[in-house]
């Protein structure tokens, strides 16, 4: 039987491409829905006319999940810590398969066990383990993709495109695994159709578009844009000191931002193998292909 899937947080920068991919693959699913605050239902009128169900409701109300087998959460930082409540409500509403908002580095790495930016993801993982123990029919999938290629050249990673410079924390040869947003969308949608191993409750899907270095990313960006970037690498301890100042000031937004600035060139934005790319029938974009798509050169 074809699965039915409900999306949470589908209006963001990743949610919109993911919804488009579900529309492209709609015939493979019983139904696909978007859980929306009743006051924001009108935002989804366009996709509703293309076969997507819009479900008005609260993500902590079990009734919102009725009739759906699987949930894909795209919760951002503002509501990341609320995912345990979503999981409990989804299970109470009949959901048997949950995708937490996990996309990115593998937070199980020893080096990331105290990494501030991923604290809430670790809490969610622990809650999923407990939920699986309490509910033998419940399953969950962790999508591990490395950072979104398109986002690694943003100011949050200390890349300043207007000035063609990078001032970041770490080292130029730091390994980094990246995957483009369209490819992550395809991997996510198609992974829902992959069967679980009998008796399996936890599943990890590890896919990577390209493995490179942080400086390698910047070099390709400069080549695509036709102008080399000036790069400066500072000690990570300097950013961590600023992170601690923000924590003491109870400025969570700044605390998270300073933590993230140490990730790209820190060597931890990776997805250790073995990878699952071969389970899918398409080749992912390279870093160069992604940058050429996002920043086409004038002819």
């Amino acid at each position: 039987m074809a699965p039915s899937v409900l999306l949470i947080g589908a209006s963001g920068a990743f949610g919109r491409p993911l919804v488009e991919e579900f529309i492209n693959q709609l015939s493979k699913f019983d139904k696909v829905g978007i859980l929306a605050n009743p006051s924001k239902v009108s935002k989804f009128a366009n996709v509703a006319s293309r076969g997507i169900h819009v479900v008005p409701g609260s993500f902590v109300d079990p009734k919102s999940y009725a009739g759906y087998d699987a949930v894909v959460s795209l919760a951002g930082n503002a509501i990341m810590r609320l995912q345990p409540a979503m999981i409990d409500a989804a299970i109470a509403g009949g959901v048997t398969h949950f995708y937490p908002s996990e996309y990115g580095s593998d937070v199980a790495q020893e080096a990331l066990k105290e990494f501030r930016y991923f604290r809430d993801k670790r809490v969610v993982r622990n809650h999923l383990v407990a939920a699986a123990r309490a509910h033998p029919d419940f399953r969950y999938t962790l999508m591990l993709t490395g950072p979104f290629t398109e986002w690694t050249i943003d100011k949050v990673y200390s890349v300043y495109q207007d000035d063609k410079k990078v001032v970041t924390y770490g080292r130029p040869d730091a390994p980094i695994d990246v995957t483009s947003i369209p490819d992550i969308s395809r991997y996510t949608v198609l992974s829902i159709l992959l069967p679980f191993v009998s008796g399996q409750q936890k599943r990890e899907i590890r896919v990577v578009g390209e493995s490179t270095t942080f400086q390698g990313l910047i070099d390709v960006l400069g080549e695509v844009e036709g102008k080399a970037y000036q790069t400066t690498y500072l000690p990570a301890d300097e950013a961590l000191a600023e992170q601690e100042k923000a924590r003491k000031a109870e400025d969570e937004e700044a605390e998270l931002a300073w933590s993230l600035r140490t990730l790209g060139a820190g060597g931890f934005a990776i997805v250790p193998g073995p990878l699952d790319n071969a389970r899918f029938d398409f080749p992912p974009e390279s870093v160069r292909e992604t940058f050429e798509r996002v920043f086409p050169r004038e002819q």
Side-chain angles (χ1 to χ4, degrees):
M1 182 177 176
S4 55
V5 184
L6 185 66
L7 308 180
I8 299 175
S11 62
F14 176 49
R16 292 189 296 273
L18 182 61
V19 170
E20 285 298 320
E21 188 59 34
F22 270 111
I23 291 173
N24 293 339
Q25 309 274 357
L26 204 54
S27 63
K28 299 176 181 177
F29 296 89
D30 177 52
K31 62 179 175 179
V32 177
I34 294 174
L35 180 55
N37 185 298
S39 66
K40 299 180 180 179
V41 166
S42 60
K43 291 175 58 176
F44 301 103
N46 179 51
V47 295
S49 67
R50 300 165 67 195
I52 299 294
H53 297 258
V54 181
V55 181
S58 165
F59 56 67
V60 295
D61 183 351
K63 294 191 295 292
S64 300
Y65 300 90
Y68 288 91
D69 309 311
V71 167
V72 178
S73 171
L74 308 176
N77 287 334
I79 61 171
M80 186 77 69
R81 63 168 58 89
L82 301 180
Q83 284 189 106
M86 297 178 195
I87 293 164
D88 291 345
I91 292 173
V95 168
T96 57
H97 186 189
F98 197 94
Y99 279 66
S101 186
E102 183 71 23
Y103 308 89
S105 306
D106 183 0
V107 304
Q109 296 175 74
E110 182 71 16
L112 294 180
K113 67 180 181 180
E114 301 294 337
F115 195 80
R116 173 61 183 90
Y117 192 79
F118 296 133
R119 183 186 69 187
D120 293 332
K121 286 189 177 183
R122 291 191 295 271
V123 171
V124 173
R125 282 195 179 200
N126 291 338
H127 193 82
L128 285 165
V129 171
R133 288 174 179 165
H135 304 277
D137 294 331
F138 176 70
R139 304 170 298 177
Y140 62 97
T141 296
L142 305 178
M143 288 295 299
L144 306 174
T145 65
F148 298 174
T149 310
E150 296 89 334
W151 293 3
T152 58
I153 52 173
D154 191 80
K155 290 180 181 178
V156 297
Y157 283 97
S158 305
V159 178
Y160 303 95
Q161 284 185 268
D162 290 344
D163 299 324
K164 297 293 181 284
K165 71 176 183 179
V166 179
V167 181
T168 192
Y169 298 84
R171 64 185 199 275
D173 63 344
I176 185 169
D177 294 332
V178 295
T179 311
S180 73
I181 290 175
D183 287 336
I184 294 175
S185 298
R186 292 180 71 185
Y187 284 130
T188 301
V189 172
L190 294 175
S191 73
I192 296 172
L193 304 172
L194 294 176
F196 272 71
V197 175
S198 178
Q200 181 185 31
Q201 287 186 275
K202 172 188 176 181
R203 179 175 69 174
E204 296 180 352
I205 302 292
R206 296 172 176 265
V207 286
V208 169
E210 183 175 340
S211 298
T212 181
T213 64
F214 188 79
Q215 186 60 49
L217 278 174
I218 302 305
D219 290 343
V220 172
L221 176 62
E223 291 169 8
V224 169
E225 292 189 318
K227 188 171 182 179
Y229 277 65
Q230 177 185 348
T231 58
T232 302
Y233 292 88
L234 302 172
D237 287 348
E238 293 183 14
L240 295 177
E242 294 297 328
Q243 174 188 316
E244 179 62 10
K245 288 180 184 178
R247 185 192 68 80
K248 291 179 177 178
E250 299 182 340
D251 185 346
E252 185 177 34
E253 184 176 349
E255 184 185 358
L256 289 170
W258 279 109
S259 176
L260 184 59
R261 291 181 76 176
T262 67
L263 182 65
F268 316 122
I270 58 174
V271 180
L275 299 179
D276 294 299
N277 288 51
R279 301 180 70 182
F280 301 89
D281 62 357
F282 67 92
E285 282 186 335
S286 67
V287 168
R288 183 176 298 276
E289 289 169 335
T290 300
F291 290 164
E292 288 176 344
R293 171 174 54 81
V294 176
F295 307 112
R297 296 277 295 275
E298 293 185 3
Q299 301 297 321

